Amino acid sequence: MNQLTMINETTPINIPHHTYKRECRYTRGINIPLADIERILYGMSDDALHYFEFHNIAKEIKQGTLLNGYTGLANIISDYYKNEKNIEIPELTNGRDFYVKIV
């Protein structure tokens, strides 16, 4: 099985969280291709998509966008890569905060 690795930042990445009206600081993240994040979002249930929008309101889904990660999204991304691409991301689902960069 292939692996996709987390990026550990030496300087924290700040990403606006419009719902909380503050910036979130992340010291780790993951790069996901645009086509994959589009498929991930398309496959989400309505409840999961609403929760994604809660954390990422006003974020365009395009290359270069930085998204706020959360536990539910970590599990969805992990399941997608495991089931669709036979790739594991063991560090993603450990409960620590992360960002997603669309590449």
Side-chain angles (χ1 to χ4, degrees):
M1 189 171 281
N2 296 319
Q3 261 191 326
L4 194 63
T5 58
M6 298 294 296
I7 299 163
N8 292 305
E9 302 290 347
T10 54
T11 303
I13 303 292
N14 295 322
I15 301 175
H17 194 299
H18 297 294
T19 305
Y20 291 148
K21 297 184 182 1
R22 66 178 175 91
E23 284 193 337
C24 296
R25 287 176 69 122
Y26 300 101
T27 56
R28 66 191 206 116
I30 189 166
N31 291 337
I32 296 182
L34 177 60
D36 287 347
I37 198 71
E38 288 174 337
R39 289 188 68 201
I40 290 166
L41 293 173
Y42 180 76
M44 282 183 180
S45 69
D46 285 342
D47 288 343
L49 191 54
H50 288 300
Y51 200 67
F52 172 84
E53 290 170 352
F54 170 82
H55 284 286
N56 292 290
I57 195 165
K59 302 275 172 88
E60 285 188 76
I61 304 304
K62 66 177 188 174
Q63 288 181 330
T65 298
L66 295 171
L67 302 171
N68 294 294
Y70 53 92
T71 302
L73 183 59
N75 291 328
I76 291 167
I77 291 169
S78 180
D79 289 346
Y80 168 80
Y81 277 103
K82 187 174 185 179
N83 297 329
E84 298 295 323
K85 302 205 177 223
N86 200 31
I87 295 174
E88 289 207 20
I89 316 166
E91 312 90 31
L92 183 61
T93 56
N94 66 3
R96 292 184 50 220
D97 290 341
F98 69 101
Y99 69 86
V100 173
K101 180 176 182 180
I102 303 173
V103 294

